[in-house]
Amino acid sequence: MLSPISEEIEQIKYIFNSYAVEGVSLRRLMDNLIANNQLPENGSWSTAKLSTILKNPIYARADNAIYEYYT
């Protein structure tokens, strides 16, 4: 069973909430994170890294709707 990394929870929420705003591209999101000094633990941001985070199903809310979607 996975458990959240408490140091990264707020940053991941920020990434998803920021990207959900209309007109925000991966590049704009990356620039925003860098400008706000929100760097990842392991290096720097790239659009590929942000895309991987946003597409990763591990960050989906674990409820019946998600379960049904994936089955």
PDB file of all heavy atoms in Angstrom, residues 2-3 5 9 15 21 23 25-26 29-31 33 35 39 42 45-46 50 52 56-57 60 62 67 70-71:
ATOM      1  N   LEU A   2       0.528   2.188  -0.809  1.00  0.00           N
ATOM      2  CA  LEU A   2       1.283   3.430  -0.888  1.00  0.00           C
ATOM      3  C   LEU A   2       0.782   4.416   0.154  1.00  0.00           C
ATOM      4  O   LEU A   2      -0.391   4.430   0.498  1.00  0.00           O
ATOM      5  CB  LEU A   2       1.129   4.040  -2.276  1.00  0.00           C
ATOM      6  CG  LEU A   2       1.662   3.210  -3.428  1.00  0.00           C
ATOM      7  CD1 LEU A   2       1.288   3.868  -4.751  1.00  0.00           C
ATOM      8  CD2 LEU A   2       3.153   3.024  -3.321  1.00  0.00           C
ATOM      9  N   SER A   3       1.671   5.246   0.622  1.00  0.00           N
ATOM     10  CA  SER A   3       1.277   6.318   1.524  1.00  0.00           C
ATOM     11  C   SER A   3       1.858   7.623   0.995  1.00  0.00           C
ATOM     12  O   SER A   3       2.933   7.633   0.398  1.00  0.00           O
ATOM     13  CB  SER A   3       1.759   6.040   2.950  1.00  0.00           C
ATOM     14  OG  SER A   3       3.153   5.887   2.968  1.00  0.00           O
ATOM     15  N   ILE A   5       3.671  11.210   0.538  1.00  0.00           N
ATOM     16  CA  ILE A   5       4.880  11.857   1.074  1.00  0.00           C
ATOM     17  C   ILE A   5       4.451  13.250   1.497  1.00  0.00           C
ATOM     18  O   ILE A   5       4.129  14.101   0.655  1.00  0.00           O
ATOM     19  CB  ILE A   5       5.985  11.905   0.009  1.00  0.00           C
ATOM     20  CG1 ILE A   5       6.335  10.490  -0.430  1.00  0.00           C
ATOM     21  CG2 ILE A   5       7.207  12.638   0.553  1.00  0.00           C
ATOM     22  CD1 ILE A   5       7.241  10.419  -1.631  1.00  0.00           C
ATOM     23  N   ILE A   9       2.756  16.672  -0.810  1.00  0.00           N
ATOM     24  CA  ILE A   9       1.301  16.731  -0.981  1.00  0.00           C
ATOM     25  C   ILE A   9       0.847  18.098  -1.491  1.00  0.00           C
ATOM     26  O   ILE A   9       0.106  18.191  -2.477  1.00  0.00           O
ATOM     27  CB  ILE A   9       0.572  16.381   0.332  1.00  0.00           C
ATOM     28  CG1 ILE A   9       0.797  14.916   0.670  1.00  0.00           C
ATOM     29  CG2 ILE A   9      -0.914  16.696   0.234  1.00  0.00           C
ATOM     30  CD1 ILE A   9       0.286  14.527   2.044  1.00  0.00           C
ATOM     31  N   ILE A  15       0.040  21.755  -8.377  1.00  0.00           N
ATOM     32  CA  ILE A  15       0.231  21.434  -9.796  1.00  0.00           C
ATOM     33  C   ILE A  15      -1.102  21.124 -10.450  1.00  0.00           C
ATOM     34  O   ILE A  15      -1.428  21.669 -11.508  1.00  0.00           O
ATOM     35  CB  ILE A  15       1.225  20.268  -9.958  1.00  0.00           C
ATOM     36  CG1 ILE A  15       2.638  20.746  -9.601  1.00  0.00           C
ATOM     37  CG2 ILE A  15       1.177  19.687 -11.363  1.00  0.00           C
ATOM     38  CD1 ILE A  15       3.662  19.632  -9.479  1.00  0.00           C
ATOM     39  N   VAL A  21      -6.743  25.384 -14.472  1.00  0.00           N
ATOM     40  CA  VAL A  21      -7.182  26.716 -14.879  1.00  0.00           C
ATOM     41  C   VAL A  21      -7.110  26.808 -16.406  1.00  0.00           C
ATOM     42  O   VAL A  21      -6.113  26.419 -17.013  1.00  0.00           O
ATOM     43  CB  VAL A  21      -6.297  27.805 -14.225  1.00  0.00           C
ATOM     44  CG1 VAL A  21      -6.652  29.181 -14.757  1.00  0.00           C
ATOM     45  CG2 VAL A  21      -6.432  27.754 -12.712  1.00  0.00           C
ATOM     46  N   GLY A  23      -6.442  27.759 -20.031  1.00  0.00           N
ATOM     47  CA  GLY A  23      -5.369  28.506 -20.685  1.00  0.00           C
ATOM     48  C   GLY A  23      -3.980  28.248 -20.129  1.00  0.00           C
ATOM     49  O   GLY A  23      -3.008  28.789 -20.649  1.00  0.00           O
ATOM     50  N   SER A  25      -0.772  26.223 -19.838  1.00  0.00           N
ATOM     51  CA  SER A  25      -0.042  25.176 -20.544  1.00  0.00           C
ATOM     52  C   SER A  25       0.995  24.564 -19.605  1.00  0.00           C
ATOM     53  O   SER A  25       1.255  25.089 -18.517  1.00  0.00           O
ATOM     54  CB  SER A  25       0.660  25.765 -21.764  1.00  0.00           C
ATOM     55  OG  SER A  25       1.654  26.692 -21.340  1.00  0.00           O
ATOM     56  N   LEU A  26       1.578  23.465 -20.040  1.00  0.00           N
ATOM     57  CA  LEU A  26       2.648  22.861 -19.230  1.00  0.00           C
ATOM     58  C   LEU A  26       3.807  23.833 -19.070  1.00  0.00           C
ATOM     59  O   LEU A  26       4.400  23.920 -17.993  1.00  0.00           O
ATOM     60  CB  LEU A  26       3.135  21.559 -19.870  1.00  0.00           C
ATOM     61  CG  LEU A  26       2.172  20.387 -19.786  1.00  0.00           C
ATOM     62  CD1 LEU A  26       2.700  19.212 -20.606  1.00  0.00           C
ATOM     63  CD2 LEU A  26       1.942  19.964 -18.350  1.00  0.00           C
ATOM     64  N   LEU A  29       2.834  26.468 -16.545  1.00  0.00           N
ATOM     65  CA  LEU A  29       2.849  25.847 -15.217  1.00  0.00           C
ATOM     66  C   LEU A  29       4.279  25.700 -14.716  1.00  0.00           C
ATOM     67  O   LEU A  29       4.583  26.034 -13.566  1.00  0.00           O
ATOM     68  CB  LEU A  29       2.153  24.490 -15.258  1.00  0.00           C
ATOM     69  CG  LEU A  29       2.187  23.649 -13.991  1.00  0.00           C
ATOM     70  CD1 LEU A  29       1.551  24.379 -12.815  1.00  0.00           C
ATOM     71  CD2 LEU A  29       1.504  22.317 -14.240  1.00  0.00           C
ATOM     72  N   MET A  30       5.170  25.234 -15.565  1.00  0.00           N
ATOM     73  CA  MET A  30       6.568  25.068 -15.184  1.00  0.00           C
ATOM     74  C   MET A  30       7.190  26.419 -14.809  1.00  0.00           C
ATOM     75  O   MET A  30       7.863  26.543 -13.777  1.00  0.00           O
ATOM     76  CB  MET A  30       7.362  24.437 -16.331  1.00  0.00           C
ATOM     77  CG  MET A  30       8.813  24.201 -15.992  1.00  0.00           C
ATOM     78  SD  MET A  30       9.741  23.504 -17.369  1.00  0.00           S
ATOM     79  CE  MET A  30       9.910  24.947 -18.410  1.00  0.00           C
ATOM     80  N   ASP A  31       6.961  27.433 -15.625  1.00  0.00           N
ATOM     81  CA  ASP A  31       7.492  28.769 -15.328  1.00  0.00           C
ATOM     82  C   ASP A  31       6.960  29.303 -14.013  1.00  0.00           C
ATOM     83  O   ASP A  31       7.693  29.923 -13.235  1.00  0.00           O
ATOM     84  CB  ASP A  31       7.166  29.737 -16.460  1.00  0.00           C
ATOM     85  CG  ASP A  31       7.908  29.412 -17.746  1.00  0.00           C
ATOM     86  OD1 ASP A  31       8.925  28.670 -17.690  1.00  0.00           O
ATOM     87  OD2 ASP A  31       7.481  29.898 -18.813  1.00  0.00           O
ATOM     88  N   LEU A  33       5.915  27.493 -11.388  1.00  0.00           N
ATOM     89  CA  LEU A  33       6.542  26.752 -10.286  1.00  0.00           C
ATOM     90  C   LEU A  33       7.953  27.261 -10.020  1.00  0.00           C
ATOM     91  O   LEU A  33       8.348  27.450  -8.864  1.00  0.00           O
ATOM     92  CB  LEU A  33       6.581  25.257 -10.607  1.00  0.00           C
ATOM     93  CG  LEU A  33       5.245  24.530 -10.547  1.00  0.00           C
ATOM     94  CD1 LEU A  33       5.340  23.187 -11.259  1.00  0.00           C
ATOM     95  CD2 LEU A  33       4.804  24.348  -9.119  1.00  0.00           C
ATOM     96  N   ALA A  35       9.189  30.261 -10.832  1.00  0.00           N
ATOM     97  CA  ALA A  35       9.110  31.638 -10.332  1.00  0.00           C
ATOM     98  C   ALA A  35       8.748  31.682  -8.853  1.00  0.00           C
ATOM     99  O   ALA A  35       9.198  32.563  -8.124  1.00  0.00           O
ATOM    100  CB  ALA A  35       8.098  32.435 -11.150  1.00  0.00           C
ATOM    101  N   LEU A  39      10.505  23.996  -6.348  1.00  0.00           N
ATOM    102  CA  LEU A  39      11.285  23.022  -7.089  1.00  0.00           C
ATOM    103  C   LEU A  39      11.074  21.620  -6.529  1.00  0.00           C
ATOM    104  O   LEU A  39      10.834  21.453  -5.337  1.00  0.00           O
ATOM    105  CB  LEU A  39      12.762  23.388  -7.049  1.00  0.00           C
ATOM    106  CG  LEU A  39      13.097  24.770  -7.619  1.00  0.00           C
ATOM    107  CD1 LEU A  39      14.568  25.075  -7.425  1.00  0.00           C
ATOM    108  CD2 LEU A  39      12.710  24.844  -9.079  1.00  0.00           C
ATOM    109  N   ASN A  42      14.090  16.286  -6.483  1.00  0.00           N
ATOM    110  CA  ASN A  42      15.140  15.660  -7.272  1.00  0.00           C
ATOM    111  C   ASN A  42      15.489  16.439  -8.535  1.00  0.00           C
ATOM    112  O   ASN A  42      15.390  15.929  -9.635  1.00  0.00           O
ATOM    113  CB  ASN A  42      14.755  14.225  -7.629  1.00  0.00           C
ATOM    114  CG  ASN A  42      13.432  14.165  -8.360  1.00  0.00           C
ATOM    115  OD1 ASN A  42      12.748  15.164  -8.493  1.00  0.00           O
ATOM    116  ND2 ASN A  42      13.072  12.997  -8.843  1.00  0.00           N
ATOM    117  N   TRP A  45      12.306  21.299 -12.815  1.00  0.00           N
ATOM    118  CA  TRP A  45      11.092  20.968 -13.547  1.00  0.00           C
ATOM    119  C   TRP A  45      11.363  20.905 -15.035  1.00  0.00           C
ATOM    120  O   TRP A  45      12.213  21.602 -15.561  1.00  0.00           O
ATOM    121  CB  TRP A  45      10.008  22.012 -13.295  1.00  0.00           C
ATOM    122  CG  TRP A  45       9.433  21.956 -11.936  1.00  0.00           C
ATOM    123  CD1 TRP A  45       9.498  22.936 -10.989  1.00  0.00           C
ATOM    124  CD2 TRP A  45       8.695  20.888 -11.345  1.00  0.00           C
ATOM    125  NE1 TRP A  45       8.842  22.523  -9.844  1.00  0.00           N
ATOM    126  CE2 TRP A  45       8.352  21.272 -10.041  1.00  0.00           C
ATOM    127  CE3 TRP A  45       8.308  19.638 -11.784  1.00  0.00           C
ATOM    128  CZ2 TRP A  45       7.626  20.464  -9.183  1.00  0.00           C
ATOM    129  CZ3 TRP A  45       7.596  18.820 -10.934  1.00  0.00           C
ATOM    130  CH2 TRP A  45       7.252  19.242  -9.652  1.00  0.00           C
ATOM    131  N   SER A  46      10.597  20.095 -15.706  1.00  0.00           N
ATOM    132  CA  SER A  46      10.528  20.072 -17.167  1.00  0.00           C
ATOM    133  C   SER A  46       9.070  19.825 -17.525  1.00  0.00           C
ATOM    134  O   SER A  46       8.292  19.339 -16.690  1.00  0.00           O
ATOM    135  CB  SER A  46      11.415  18.969 -17.752  1.00  0.00           C
ATOM    136  OG  SER A  46      10.884  17.694 -17.437  1.00  0.00           O
ATOM    137  N   LEU A  50       6.275  17.298 -15.591  1.00  0.00           N
ATOM    138  CA  LEU A  50       4.931  17.730 -15.200  1.00  0.00           C
ATOM    139  C   LEU A  50       3.868  16.900 -15.906  1.00  0.00           C
ATOM    140  O   LEU A  50       2.866  16.519 -15.297  1.00  0.00           O
ATOM    141  CB  LEU A  50       4.741  19.216 -15.498  1.00  0.00           C
ATOM    142  CG  LEU A  50       5.533  20.157 -14.597  1.00  0.00           C
ATOM    143  CD1 LEU A  50       5.474  21.579 -15.139  1.00  0.00           C
ATOM    144  CD2 LEU A  50       5.036  20.099 -13.172  1.00  0.00           C
ATOM    145  N   THR A  52       4.137  13.827 -16.881  1.00  0.00           N
ATOM    146  CA  THR A  52       4.133  12.507 -16.240  1.00  0.00           C
ATOM    147  C   THR A  52       3.331  12.539 -14.941  1.00  0.00           C
ATOM    148  O   THR A  52       2.551  11.624 -14.668  1.00  0.00           O
ATOM    149  CB  THR A  52       5.576  12.042 -15.968  1.00  0.00           C
ATOM    150  OG1 THR A  52       6.268  11.948 -17.215  1.00  0.00           O
ATOM    151  CG2 THR A  52       5.609  10.701 -15.263  1.00  0.00           C
ATOM    152  N   ASN A  56      -0.336  10.507 -14.304  1.00  0.00           N
ATOM    153  CA  ASN A  56      -0.141   9.355 -13.423  1.00  0.00           C
ATOM    154  C   ASN A  56      -1.435   9.042 -12.660  1.00  0.00           C
ATOM    155  O   ASN A  56      -1.917   9.857 -11.879  1.00  0.00           O
ATOM    156  CB  ASN A  56       0.990   9.642 -12.437  1.00  0.00           C
ATOM    157  CG  ASN A  56       1.435   8.417 -11.688  1.00  0.00           C
ATOM    158  OD1 ASN A  56       0.694   7.452 -11.553  1.00  0.00           O
ATOM    159  ND2 ASN A  56       2.649   8.469 -11.194  1.00  0.00           N
ATOM    160  N   PRO A  57      -2.007   7.858 -12.861  1.00  0.00           N
ATOM    161  CA  PRO A  57      -3.267   7.522 -12.178  1.00  0.00           C
ATOM    162  C   PRO A  57      -3.111   7.359 -10.664  1.00  0.00           C
ATOM    163  O   PRO A  57      -4.121   7.335  -9.951  1.00  0.00           O
ATOM    164  CB  PRO A  57      -3.686   6.207 -12.830  1.00  0.00           C
ATOM    165  CG  PRO A  57      -2.448   5.636 -13.401  1.00  0.00           C
ATOM    166  CD  PRO A  57      -1.562   6.795 -13.749  1.00  0.00           C
ATOM    167  N   ALA A  60      -5.006   9.957  -8.722  1.00  0.00           N
ATOM    168  CA  ALA A  60      -6.468  10.029  -8.824  1.00  0.00           C
ATOM    169  C   ALA A  60      -7.099   9.702  -7.471  1.00  0.00           C
ATOM    170  O   ALA A  60      -6.588   8.885  -6.705  1.00  0.00           O
ATOM    171  CB  ALA A  60      -6.977   9.046  -9.867  1.00  0.00           C
ATOM    172  N   ALA A  62      -9.216   7.874  -4.990  1.00  0.00           N
ATOM    173  CA  ALA A  62      -9.623   6.457  -4.957  1.00  0.00           C
ATOM    174  C   ALA A  62     -11.068   6.360  -4.482  1.00  0.00           C
ATOM    175  O   ALA A  62     -11.344   6.237  -3.300  1.00  0.00           O
ATOM    176  CB  ALA A  62      -8.695   5.676  -4.039  1.00  0.00           C
ATOM    177  N   TYR A  67     -12.717   3.695  -9.807  1.00  0.00           N
ATOM    178  CA  TYR A  67     -12.642   2.236  -9.944  1.00  0.00           C
ATOM    179  C   TYR A  67     -13.411   1.778 -11.184  1.00  0.00           C
ATOM    180  O   TYR A  67     -12.913   0.995 -11.995  1.00  0.00           O
ATOM    181  CB  TYR A  67     -13.175   1.547  -8.691  1.00  0.00           C
ATOM    182  CG  TYR A  67     -13.209   0.050  -8.814  1.00  0.00           C
ATOM    183  CD1 TYR A  67     -12.042  -0.687  -8.688  1.00  0.00           C
ATOM    184  CD2 TYR A  67     -14.398  -0.614  -9.081  1.00  0.00           C
ATOM    185  CE1 TYR A  67     -12.060  -2.069  -8.815  1.00  0.00           C
ATOM    186  CE2 TYR A  67     -14.432  -1.998  -9.215  1.00  0.00           C
ATOM    187  CZ  TYR A  67     -13.249  -2.711  -9.077  1.00  0.00           C
ATOM    188  OH  TYR A  67     -13.275  -4.077  -9.218  1.00  0.00           O
ATOM    189  N   TYR A  70     -11.570   2.736 -14.518  1.00  0.00           N
ATOM    190  CA  TYR A  70     -10.436   1.897 -14.882  1.00  0.00           C
ATOM    191  C   TYR A  70     -10.824   0.439 -15.169  1.00  0.00           C
ATOM    192  O   TYR A  70     -10.089  -0.268 -15.835  1.00  0.00           O
ATOM    193  CB  TYR A  70      -9.343   1.959 -13.825  1.00  0.00           C
ATOM    194  CG  TYR A  70      -8.520   3.219 -13.959  1.00  0.00           C
ATOM    195  CD1 TYR A  70      -8.676   4.265 -13.054  1.00  0.00           C
ATOM    196  CD2 TYR A  70      -7.637   3.370 -14.994  1.00  0.00           C
ATOM    197  CE1 TYR A  70      -7.945   5.435 -13.191  1.00  0.00           C
ATOM    198  CE2 TYR A  70      -6.910   4.537 -15.142  1.00  0.00           C
ATOM    199  CZ  TYR A  70      -7.056   5.552 -14.240  1.00  0.00           C
ATOM    200  OH  TYR A  70      -6.331   6.711 -14.385  1.00  0.00           O
ATOM    201  N   THR A  71     -11.973  -0.015 -14.670  1.00  0.00           N
ATOM    202  CA  THR A  71     -12.393  -1.367 -14.999  1.00  0.00           C
ATOM    203  C   THR A  71     -13.160  -1.333 -16.301  1.00  0.00           C
ATOM    204  O   THR A  71     -13.176  -2.195 -17.077  1.00  0.00           O
ATOM    205  CB  THR A  71     -13.263  -1.986 -13.897  1.00  0.00           C
ATOM    206  OG1 THR A  71     -14.377  -1.148 -13.649  1.00  0.00           O
ATOM    207  CG2 THR A  71     -12.457  -2.205 -12.651  1.00  0.00           C
TER     208      THR A  71
END
